[in-house]
Amino acid sequence: DAKTTQPNSMESNEEEPVHLPCNHSTISGTDYIHWYRQLPSQGPEYVIHGLTSNVNNRMASLAIAEDRKSSTLILHRATLRDAAVYYCILRDVTSGGSNYKLTFGKGTLLTVNP
Amino acid sequence: DGGITQSPKYLFRKEGQNVTLSCEQNLNHDAMYWYRQDPGQGLRLIYYSQIVNDFQKGDIAEGYSVSREKKESFPLTVTSAQKNPTAFYLCASKKWAGDNSPLHFGNGTRLTVT
């Protein structure tokens, strides 16, 4: 199974950009990169996903390396509400084809300072 | 508003008792998932269901059971065979198991067994 590696924690200042890295050196050609975030005592929420090209939505941007072995979630202007655990995960297709598991690691705890 | 409802938010049980956690969704999603989260850890997949009357074991299914008799409902039973049942349990759903639509999570049930 393809795995991801993220820093345990990062710190940012309010209204500054934040770049959250994720390494996935064993990614396969058809693995999508998904990002979720989890606020304290809540369930995770979807942030963004992509395959090869960089992606933008109202919450964040996803920059994917050309070799796809790493990616970066970009929060353009961090707010206090962005303080959360951020998970970078890969589609995990088990043998049998149609099964689809999403495996979550420990993620990166982002602290935003006022 | 559509979403996933987990109840109750907090649950206390004595050791040796089975307990059932409720998960209901009104998103018309085919796929549903149960995850377990321990303090400071990521999410671990317990069971998932691609469609009504179907479910598969995840990574840590021992000591748990599920049913999927209705599309909207995916209850999880924590049996007395589960050695460390105290944890935060998260239910999720997505439109279809095999696509890249995002997972929608409930706000979890915190189970304490003493």
Side-chain angles (χ1 to χ4, degrees), chain B residues 77-89:
Chain B
T77 297
V78 184
T79 75
S80 57
Q82 167 51 234
K83 294 179 182 176
N84 296 297
T86 294
F88 188 46
Y89 290 88

Side-chain angles (χ1 to χ4, degrees), chain B residues 3 7 14-15 28 51 53 72 80 111:
Chain B
S7 60
K14 295 288 188 185
E15 196 173 321
N28 200 33
I51 201 166
N53 295 321
E72 310 79 45
S80 57
L111 173 65

